[in-house]
Structure formats: structure tokens, C-alpha cells
Amino acid sequence: MERSDTKVLANQPYDESLEVNDSEDIASVYTPTPQTHQRDLRPRSRKGRGVMEANSSSDEFEEEDSPQKRREPISNLAGLGPEQEEEEDEEDSDEEDSDDDDDDEEEGASAPEGAYDPADYHNLPVSTEIKELFQYITRYTPQVVELENKLKPFIPDYIPAVGDIDAFLKVPRPDDKPDDLGLLLLDEPCVKQSDPRVLSLWLSEETKQHHPTEVKKVSSIRSPHQEQKALDSWIESISELHRCKAPASVHYARPMPDVESLMQEWPAEVEELLGRVALPSAELDCDLAQYVDIVCGLLDIPVYKNRIQSLHVLFTLYLEFQNSEHFKAQNHDRLAS
Amino acid sequence: MILSRTKPAVGGDAPIGLNEKKNKSRTKKIPDLEEYLQQRDYLGALTLLEFQRDVGEREEHADLWMGYCAFHLGDHKRAMEVYKTLSEKAECPVEVWVYLACTMFLLGLYKEAEEAASKAPTSPLQNRLLFHLAHKFNDEKKLMGFHQNLEDVTEDQLSLASIHYMRSHYQEAIDIYKRILLQNRDFLALKVYVALCYYKLDYYDVSQEVLAVYLQSIPDSTIALNLKACNHFRLYNGKAAEAELKNLMDISSCSFEFAKELIRHNLVVFRAGEGALQVLPPLIDVIPEARLNLVIYYLRQDDIQEAYNLIKDLVPTTPQEYILKGVVNAALGQEIGSRDHLKIAQQFFQLVGGSASECDTIPGRQCMASCFFLLRQFEDVLIYLNSVKSYFYNDDTFNFNYAQAKAALGNYRDAEEVFLLIQSEKIKNDYVYLSWLARSYIMNQKGRLAWELYLNMGTSSDAFALLQLIANDCYKMGQFFYAAKAFDALEKLDPDSNYWEGKRGACVGIFQLILAGRESREMLKDVLPLLRSSGNPQVEYIIRTLRKWAKENRVALS
């Protein structure tokens, strides 16, 4: 019975490729199969087996065909040395099993290797009294304790997300020029995006267009300890912004009077005159350069070749007056009186 | 790292570049919108547009440009608002409707997207959008209709390929990309699409190869670097993958928000679930994998009920989803003893393991093994487990299932060996483990080790059951000493039941073994108290016989 099974299956690819010392082993691959209640599922499991056999054989012969290459992640699933040995081992013991109890194939009832067999002790030279006692051993039939099996499910690995592929459901440029996004390069923003807060500060600085909305964004970093990077980059970008700004102090090429000295009071007669005569206004019929010269002259600011620096002194002086608490108060008193 | 300078970054952030930029920025007047767009610095472009609006200089179609920038920045919500506002104006250009629909689609507002798209004039973009909407609605008929309207132009074909990808038809998608690449060698983005397909097909090496071409020309691409990290995760481990993501995070500016969720999600994955409870719940239904990963997290925490709650309403479409539903049902079914759940689990496992795409993958083999395990067909279980065994040498789960299958088939020698490889304390305290290991010990003539398992257990119903097992299995295997001890213990724990027959047989069995020279004569000493503790009248008779023999053979009994 067993023999004939062997013959039938001897030509399986697996059998051919399996390197074994003993043909018994090949046969044993299929010996433990028959168990009537499993018959209905045979075809499917046989199919599964076929797949793996194909794999293992192609592996062993190292066939280089394309499907093999594609199947790379799994190609060495079967046919590995140790694993095969493993399988042989298993079959070996299975066979030992069947040696012991060829007659009863009933599951559970088959006595495992090394089970107690009263026949082994039959010939002990003992008294009849003891022999009678021995009968107690077989008087008790050990119960078959059914054990439960528990499948510990194979919990899959965590699954990383790679996202979907560009479906070309995208807004084109309003000027209808091609943007090549998704073709020449992926439709994704560059990793270095301008910081809107810094950029808007810079824009208003550069264009001198100060606008009330620009101050709207006061930025804060919630946990500076954890966001070192955010903090550093903010400081860096703001200090760079300041570097790019016009410098706070100007080095004059030629000597200029001190603002403090320019702020000194005029002589009394000039003050008196100013009470009656208005200063020359911008309406004066002269060009801008001449007007600058006149104003600077009036205020004791020297004008050299380049008027810019003189003008700088002029406006510094103006700012100084405007910001001076003393004059503000005076102004206020004058208006009040 | 330098955050946005006065001018958009030109890639590469060496200090020399910084100085150069500084100089440039000094001399430069107002930056040009086009320049920002070329850099794909959409945040910069938007800021510029806003600034111009605020100071009253208006670019032509400023609103449309803002929509465009917000859209490509990935800020679809903002883009939607822009288009919504535009659509409410009287002089709104008609194509705004389809743009609005696109933003809604990307925000997952499919119904609204369809409604908006229906107001737009017919256009290839509108058709592509409706095509994808039909896919989302699972409307095969409409899908075919819009499919037929697709033309043989690049955009339409790429849109079709994207549908193939989403329907897991990766080979079809690759075919389209390769065909287009043949005609347009400079369409480098398509390399990434191909790499994504290969990734999904589990060909991580190939994916990596194709991806490298793109990264060579655009080394700081978020999508590509993320894919690279995922490939590393599959090929190597979480650490290698995390290093890649770290690189990406280092080169990106603080204001960079694109794909931030994806990156956060993947960090959890690469760190083996660390932070899962903080990061994943808000991403459910945003990133499809988030739900699955949270289920995996719960499973690993043994919170099967939570896992089940999360997945019970999911209609599986991908193998991963089928597997996970199978796993959850198997775990729950075994925990609460529900045949229905086990049946579902077995069916899902069979479906995946038997499918053409998965039958030769490790998870596919695991599925078949699980399926047969639930059907108690352990020969088949072993066939499948053996085929992937080399990947799981130290895997407790694998070994637990493997050893059970071995033991169930009577191969106790292997079973014992594999059971002993298991490290997890949880498994080692599981009665299934203890009982099968005890049986394996006994079958391998190591009754003493089985008895020690019992001694380490403490009193419980499991310990009682283990005693029954030891008593009977040892008896069967002729290891009468431990059989007798177990019967004796049972007698004490359960005085109402009758264990006398077993104990009697076992004690006599020890005697027989001594006579046969298989146990030492000294053991007879231990038999007497075992017998005496039973109150049966036969005890005296047996003891008399034993004493007699002892006397004749000069064996001391006390």
C-alpha cells in the first residue's frame, strides 16, 4: 500500500530535485497524508504544494528566468538546506510512528514511540502473586486528554505609507503656460519654503511700502526647547534682514557738525526775525538742489559735493527735534496758551 | 539651517551659497513671482501675492495665481477658499468651477466635488476628475464612460495609470508609464511613479533603482525621499528608514508643511509603533494606512477588542486589509470562542493565501498556514510554515504555531525543541504552551520536566488540567513515577473523584519498572507513602506484596 503510493508520486519534480540519501525519505513525504476527513481539501493543498515544489526546484537548479527574478522577495522560501533537513527529520519520525502501528490508523489511538507496552515485561521472572499485581497496570486505561490548539495570528508589520500617484487633477497656471509639474518633476513644493513672516517683513523693507497689515503676524515658537531648529532659523533670518537694511548710522565723508550743536538756540535777533518773516517754502522758484542748499545753509549744515550726506544730517536733526520731549512739551504749552 | 532668506533658496545650502545670496538680495529689487514659482517656493509666491494685494499693486489674475500656489503647495483648503470666493463673483471665469472641484476632490469632499465639476464646461480636466470620482463612488458604469472619453494624451493617460495604481493594477500602470517614458525621456517624475508601483509589488530593490534616477537630479524631493525611506524599511529595518526621513526633515525649512502628516505617520511605523496613540488617530481616513497601523498597534498590545472596533466596518480591498481582518477575527474568535469569527478569519486567510499575487509571498504563506491551522489540518500547516521557516528563526509567534503543528502531528522531538526557543513570557504562561510542552516532554520520556512545569504553576484550574494530562500521558508512556505523583496530587485536590485505579496501576507500574531494572530499587520507598495516602482497602494488600518482595531482595523500605 505504502509502496504503491511511492511509485505514483515518484516523478514529481520535487522528488527529482530533492537530494536525499535514501529513497525511503521521498516516499515518506506522502505517507502521512491519508486521513479521510481531509480528502475534500486535498486538491487545494496539493496545488499549494505544487507551487512550492516548483519554487524549490527552480531554486536548486538556479534557473535564470524572468519570473524567477521578479519573485525575488520569496525566491528562497523553499529549498534551503536546513529547512529541507528539517522536513526530512520530520518525515523520519513520522515513519517511525507508522512502523509502530501500521494496523491502527485511528488518530489519537496510535501509540507513540516509547509508549508503555505490557508485552515488554511479560517475561519478567516473578512470582504469580506479583504477576497478578501487574494486571492492575493494564486494568487502567489512561484517558486521552485532548489539548486545545491556539493559533497565535501572525500580526503583520507596520505598513508605511507612500501616498498615491499624481492623477493629473490639477490646476493649471492662470497664464496657461505649461508648468511641467508631474512630468519633468513631481508636483510637490520645494522643501525650502520662504517663511511668510520673514518674507513679508523683507518685502516691506525692500519696497519701503509699510503697510499696517504687515505687523499682523507676530510669531512665537511654542516650545523653543524642542524646536531648536525653528528658533535658530528665525533668529538667523531676522538678523540677516537687519543686515540687509540700511545701516543705522552713517559715516560722513566730510566733517559734519554735531546734531547737538545744531540744536542750539538761534541768536535772539534771528528768533525775532523769524517771528516776522516766514522761512523760504518749497514754493520757491528754484530747483531741488538749490533749495537743499538754501535749507541746509539756514540750518548751518555744510553742503559738500554730495548733498545726500548733508540731507542725512538735516533729517537726523528733524527727527531729533520731533522726538525731543523738551520741544514736545514746549509745543504743547504754546498751543495751549 | 537657514530659513527663508530674502530670496528663495536655490537648493544646496552651503555657507558660500548663503553669502552669495545675501549679496544678491541686497542688489535685488522686488522679487519676481515667476522666480518663486520656478523654485516651487509657493509659500514665498503666496506671500508676495498677498503683499502686492495689501499695498495695492495687483498682478493680473492675482486670485487665480493665489489659488494655483495654494493648490500646488498642498494647502488645498486654502485653494478651495480662494476658488469658492471667486466662484461667487459675477465675473468669475467658468473654469474656476473645475478648479474648485479639484480642490474638493483632494480634500475628500467627493459629493461637493461632483457638484462643482458639473457646473464647469466640458474639458479634459473635468473628465479626468469625473473619472476619478466615479472610482471613488465605485460606480463601474460611469467609470467606463469617462474612461472612454480619455484621450491618448499624456495627462489623460497618466490619470488612467493613477487609477490602475489605486486599484492595485500596478503592472498596467507601469506599462503606461514606460510607454510614455519611451517617447519623453525627460519626464523624470514618471520614474518615481514607476518606483511607487514596484514598491507596491514588493520589488523594493527595483523600486530603489528606478527612484535613484530621479533623486540624482532632484535630491530633496519629499515624495521620493519618503519612498526611499519606505524601501529601506522593507529592505533593512526601521532604523535605516528613519535615517532617510531624518535627512528629509533636516533639509526642509520650518515653514514646510507638505506631506507632514505622511512623515509623522511613517515615523511611527519606523519606530515600531512608538507614539501611535498620539499620531495615528487623527490620521484615520486621511492616510489609508493609519487605520491599519493602529489596528496593528492594538493587536501588539493585545487589545483585541479595540482592534476589532477599528476594523469591523472596514470593507477589505487590499491584501493587507484582508490579512488584518483575518488576524483580528482569528484573535477575537479564539478569545471569545466564536465560530463565526473563526470562519471569517479562515476565509480571509484562504482568499489571500490562495491569490495569485500573494501565494508566493511570506504573508501569503502565513495566511495559508493560519487557514489550515484553524481547520486543524496540521500537515498542511507545516508545509506552509516550513516554506518560510528560515525567515522566522527567533520569532515567538511563528515558533508557537510551528511547535503546536509539530506536536499535533506527533513530532514531539521537534516540538519540544521549538517550544523551548520561545522567549515571550506571555506565551510561556499560556496554558496551550504549557500543556503542549508538557505533552512533548512526556512523549520524549522527560516526565520529570513536565512535573516541574506543574510545580511552577501554582494552584489554578489550568494546573489541575495539567495534572490530568501528566497523569494520563505519563501512564501511557510508562513513566509511572510521575503518573503516580500526578494521580496522588489529583486525589488530594479532588477527593470526590476516583483516581484510585490510575494511581494503583501507576504504583504497580513503578514496581514493574524496578523489577525490570528500569528504575532504581530505592524508588520503592517513595511508592509506599503514595499508596498509603489513599484510603482504599486494596492498599494493604499491595503494600504487603511489595514488602515481601523487598524483604526477599533486601531492599530497605524505610
Side-chain angles (χ1 to χ4, degrees):
Chain A
M1 183 58 204
E2 240 179 87
R3 285 294 112 190
S4 67
D5 257 351
T6 313
K7 290 289 181 294
V8 171
L9 292 154
N11 290 331
Q12 296 268 326
Y14 188 81
D15 296 347
E16 288 167 7
S17 64
L18 188 64
E19 287 166 272
V20 287
N21 317 327
D22 182 0
S23 65
E24 281 298 305
D25 283 340
I26 300 172
S28 71
V29 173
Y30 297 99
T31 38
T33 43
Q35 262 188 15
T36 42
H37 64 277
Q38 286 180 11
R39 280 287 174 210
D40 48 345
L41 267 133
R42 265 303 114 197
R44 118 169 304 284
S45 71
R46 193 168 291 272
K47 186 188 154 223
R49 204 176 274 187
V51 171
M52 272 177 274
E53 281 157 8
N55 249 342
S56 76
S57 64
S58 68
D59 224 20
E60 260 161 60
F61 295 129
E62 287 187 87
E63 282 170 6
E64 276 300 325
D65 50 354
S66 62
Q68 157 80 9
K69 205 191 166 201
R70 325 211 77 189
R71 283 282 160 231
E72 199 150 41
I74 201 74
S75 64
N76 41 7
L77 265 185
L80 289 175
E83 177 212 328
Q84 211 135 36
E85 270 171 35
E86 182 51 54
E87 216 164 328
E88 284 164 35
D89 279 350
E90 175 213 329
E91 309 312 345
D92 278 346
S93 68
D94 275 339
E95 221 173 5
E96 282 162 34
D97 270 8
S98 49
D99 283 347
D100 285 340
D101 46 70
D102 269 345
D103 37 355
D104 55 1
E105 280 285 353
E106 212 52 56
E107 40 135 11
S110 62
E113 181 198 358
Y116 175 73
D117 183 358
D120 294 349
Y121 304 88
H122 202 71
N123 298 324
L124 278 180
V126 290
S127 63
T128 41
E129 192 185 12
I130 291 177
K131 263 215 166 104
E132 265 172 41
L133 203 58
F134 282 171
Q135 284 173 7
Y136 283 136
I137 300 176
T138 42
R139 197 84 53 86
Y140 178 73
T141 314
Q143 293 162 21
V144 176
V145 179
E146 288 291 345
L147 295 187
E148 270 186 40
N149 281 104
K150 186 199 262 177
L151 170 69
K152 199 160 168 45
F154 297 101
I155 303 173
D157 281 337
Y158 286 104
I159 309 158
V162 290
D164 288 321
I165 291 186
D166 198 327
F168 282 79
L169 307 175
K170 58 180 73 189
V171 176
R173 284 173 61 117
D175 58 7
D176 286 332
K177 284 187 194 154
D179 56 16
D180 292 325
L181 293 176
L183 297 172
L184 294 186
L185 73 181
L186 292 170
D187 184 6
E188 60 180 357
C190 160
V191 287
K192 292 189 182 10
Q193 297 288 309
S194 300
D195 184 331
R197 300 162 303 188
V198 180
L199 181 58
S200 52
L201 281 176
W202 185 82
L203 281 171
S204 48
E205 194 56 48
E206 194 71 7
T207 56
K208 306 282 183 270
Q209 304 232 39
H210 293 268
H211 193 270
T213 52
E214 116 212 1
V215 247
K216 67 192 170 188
K217 290 163 195 149
V218 178
S219 49
S220 67
I221 294 169
R222 247 167 295 144
S223 44
H225 299 293
Q226 283 154 35
E227 298 176 63
Q228 192 65 43
K229 184 177 153 189
L231 189 64
D232 289 349
S233 62
W234 172 255
I235 293 172
E236 172 67 27
S237 46
I238 290 300
S239 51
E240 189 177 324
L241 181 70
H242 285 301
R243 277 199 294 278
C244 297
K245 268 190 188 177
S249 58
V250 176
H251 291 282
Y252 302 119
R254 299 294 196 91
M256 285 290 178
D258 188 31
V259 177
E260 198 58 31
S261 68
L262 290 174
M263 286 174 83
Q264 297 306 311
E265 274 186 72
W266 267 319
E269 52 269 38
V270 181
E271 288 276 0
E272 193 197 339
L273 185 66
L274 281 177
R276 288 181 276 120
V277 186
L279 284 171
S281 79
E283 305 294 312
L284 209 64
D285 184 19
C286 64
D287 64 15
L288 180 64
Q290 283 173 317
Y291 186 63
V292 168
D293 292 346
I294 294 168
V295 173
C296 284
L298 269 171
L299 295 170
D300 288 340
I301 297 169
V303 177
Y304 303 101
K305 230 183 217 158
N306 182 349
R307 288 185 183 84
I308 298 288
Q309 295 193 346
S310 305
L311 276 173
H312 187 268
V313 178
L314 174 71
F315 288 123
T316 313
L317 180 62
Y318 177 78
L319 268 180
E320 204 60 36
F321 271 113
Q322 203 180 31
N323 293 338
S324 155
E325 289 303 319
H326 175 69
F327 285 98
K328 257 189 218 166
Q330 219 176 34
N331 237 354
H332 193 261
D333 290 350
R334 204 174 288 163
L335 286 175
S337 61
Chain B
M1 203 54 41
I2 309 308
L3 182 77
S4 59
R5 25 231 109 190
T6 47
K7 180 181 177 300
V10 201
D13 48 337
I16 318 135
L18 173 66
N19 285 331
E20 194 185 3
K21 270 166 228 154
K22 246 191 280 174
N23 293 338
K24 262 195 199 165
S25 67
R26 283 220 183 98
T27 52
K28 184 136 176 51
K29 292 292 159 198
I30 303 170
D32 185 14
L33 176 67
E34 193 56 44
E35 213 167 314
Y36 285 111
L37 294 180
Q38 280 308 313
Q39 301 298 333
R40 286 173 295 130
D41 178 359
Y42 300 113
L43 215 42
L46 275 171
T47 311
L48 177 65
L49 287 165
E50 267 179 347
F51 179 79
Q52 289 175 339
R53 181 192 60 198
D54 289 345
V55 298
E57 299 172 19
R58 293 210 63 133
E59 180 102 11
E60 203 189 355
H61 301 309
D63 289 333
L64 283 175
W65 279 111
M66 283 180 132
Y68 173 84
C69 291
F71 186 93
H72 291 278
L73 178 63
D75 190 348
H76 300 125
K77 211 165 153 201
R78 181 167 176 183
M80 179 175 77
E81 273 149 22
V82 170
Y83 291 128
K84 248 190 191 153
T85 318
L86 269 174
S87 70
E88 283 154 9
K89 288 185 184 159
E91 75 279 22
C92 157
V94 277
E95 63 271 16
V96 165
W97 285 107
V98 71
Y99 303 159
L100 178 61
C102 284
T103 61
M104 288 167 159
F105 178 85
L106 289 165
L107 288 165
L109 305 167
Y110 300 135
K111 276 267 161 256
E112 293 86 336
E114 192 179 37
E115 205 188 307
S118 68
K119 295 184 188 164
T122 310
S123 69
L125 175 58
Q126 186 217 31
N127 182 63
R128 292 199 293 270
L129 182 66
L130 292 172
F131 179 51
H132 275 261
L133 279 167
H135 170 248
K136 295 286 180 201
F137 292 137
N138 268 324
D139 188 335
E140 283 296 316
K141 219 176 121 203
K142 276 194 184 169
L143 191 77
M144 293 321 289
F146 295 121
H147 185 182
Q148 289 193 329
N149 294 341
L150 291 178
E151 288 168 45
D152 194 13
V153 294
T154 309
E155 285 81 2
D156 280 6
Q157 288 304 306
L158 290 174
S159 199
L160 173 62
S162 157
I163 288 269
H164 281 315
Y165 176 85
M166 271 184 288
R167 297 172 67 124
S168 309
H169 299 158
Y170 305 114
Q171 199 52 56
E172 287 87 337
I174 292 175
D175 291 345
I176 292 180
Y177 294 133
K178 289 202 167 160
R179 187 158 52 79
I180 296 176
L181 269 171
L182 272 182
Q183 296 150 4
N184 308 278
R185 298 199 149 273
D186 54 343
F187 282 4
L188 279 183
L190 273 63
K191 294 272 184 193
V192 181
Y193 307 155
V194 172
L196 281 163
C197 292
Y198 279 125
Y199 170 85
K200 289 283 188 176
L201 286 167
D202 294 345
Y203 302 136
Y204 308 115
D205 286 335
V206 186
S207 172
Q208 200 73 326
E209 236 169 78
V210 182
L211 187 64
V213 182
Y214 187 78
L215 279 171
Q216 211 161 26
S217 72
I218 310 207
D220 60 357
S221 158
T222 310
I223 294 172
L225 284 175
N226 179 58
L227 176 57
K228 189 177 175 194
C230 295
N231 276 324
H232 276 202
F233 179 67
R234 301 289 197 180
L235 287 170
Y236 313 114
N237 52 40
K239 243 195 158 89
E242 197 184 330
E244 280 304 322
L245 273 198
K246 190 104 194 2
N247 175 29
L248 173 61
M249 289 186 289
D250 282 346
I251 58 172
S252 49
S253 60
C254 300
S255 47
F256 181 71
E257 294 283 338
F258 179 78
K260 214 161 206 175
E261 287 162 338
L262 197 69
I263 292 168
R264 270 160 64 81
H265 171 271
N266 283 348
L267 273 180
V268 172
V269 169
F270 298 156
R271 291 173 180 164
E274 194 186 306
L277 289 182
Q278 290 80 47
V279 176
L280 297 183
L283 297 182
I284 285 177
D285 294 334
V286 177
I287 294 174
E289 289 85 354
R291 180 188 295 276
L292 305 182
N293 284 321
L294 199 53
V295 170
I296 293 171
Y297 176 81
Y298 282 129
L299 283 173
R300 294 195 171 186
Q301 304 295 314
D302 267 314
D303 194 342
I304 295 164
Q305 196 57 52
E306 272 302 321
Y308 180 71
N309 291 343
L310 259 179
I311 207 169
K312 64 172 189 282
D313 295 327
L314 178 89
V315 180
T317 54
T318 65
Q320 286 162 337
E321 289 167 346
Y322 276 106
I323 291 175
L324 214 45
K325 281 209 93 156
V327 166
V328 172
N329 275 295
L332 188 67
Q334 292 186 121
E335 194 177 71
I336 64 173
S338 150
R339 286 188 156 274
D340 290 344
H341 287 302
L342 292 178
K343 183 98 193 119
I344 294 170
Q346 181 237 314
Q347 283 167 347
F348 281 170
F349 286 143
Q350 191 162 336
L351 204 68
V352 177
S355 71
S357 65
E358 294 298 313
C359 66
D360 284 336
T361 65
I362 295 173
R365 301 273 168 99
Q366 288 178 322
C367 281
M368 278 327 272
S370 303
C371 167
F372 283 122
F373 198 109
L374 294 176
L375 288 168
R376 301 284 177 265
Q377 296 180 25
F378 292 106
E379 282 170 42
D380 298 306
V381 172
L382 276 188
I383 290 169
Y384 283 97
L385 289 187
N386 274 327
S387 75
V388 293
K389 192 180 158 227
S390 53
Y391 295 90
F392 295 100
Y393 178 69
N394 267 330
D395 188 288
D396 284 349
T397 300
F398 181 89
N399 285 334
F400 186 50
N401 296 329
Y402 189 59
Q404 281 185 75
K406 287 269 186 190
L409 291 171
N411 187 346
Y412 297 107
R413 228 171 291 278
D414 285 358
E416 178 190 329
E417 194 181 305
V418 179
F419 273 129
L420 292 177
L421 287 175
I422 292 171
Q423 298 295 317
S424 152
E425 284 305 316
K426 188 161 186 299
I427 295 179
K428 280 155 91 176
N429 289 318
D430 191 320
Y431 182 65
V432 173
Y433 173 89
L434 289 166
S435 57
W436 279 102
L437 178 59
R439 171 161 286 171
S440 303
Y441 278 146
I442 296 166
M443 296 302 164
N444 296 331
Q445 301 289 347
K446 297 171 183 169
R448 187 179 58 82
L449 294 174
W451 181 250
E452 278 169 11
L453 284 181
Y454 160 73
L455 291 181
N456 290 330
M457 262 178 98
T459 44
S460 64
S461 59
D462 283 347
F464 188 77
L466 192 66
L467 275 179
Q468 304 257 21
L469 168 74
I470 294 174
N472 287 290
D473 278 11
C474 280
Y475 201 104
K476 186 160 64 186
M477 296 304 291
Q479 297 173 65
F480 293 114
F481 182 59
Y482 291 102
K485 277 172 93 77
F487 278 122
D488 185 55
L490 283 168
E491 214 169 48
K492 284 173 184 148
L493 287 168
D494 181 19
D496 299 334
S497 303
N498 190 0
Y499 296 101
W500 169 244
E501 259 192 54
K503 187 165 158 185
R504 180 184 63 190
C507 288
V508 175
I510 300 170
F511 185 45
Q512 188 178 60
L513 289 174
I514 292 171
L515 289 181
R518 297 197 180 181
E519 291 279 11
S520 74
R521 292 177 166 207
E522 279 70 43
M523 195 173 266
L524 202 56
K525 260 197 304 222
D526 299 324
V527 175
L528 297 185
L530 287 173
L531 280 168
R532 282 210 187 97
S533 64
S534 300
N536 195 287
Q538 289 175 318
V539 168
E540 280 316 310
Y541 155 67
I542 298 170
I543 289 185
R544 214 178 314 129
T545 316
L546 296 186
R547 278 188 182 286
K548 193 174 156 201
W549 176 84
K551 205 171 167 192
E552 284 165 8
N553 292 278
R554 294 162 193 256
V555 176
L557 284 181
S558 48

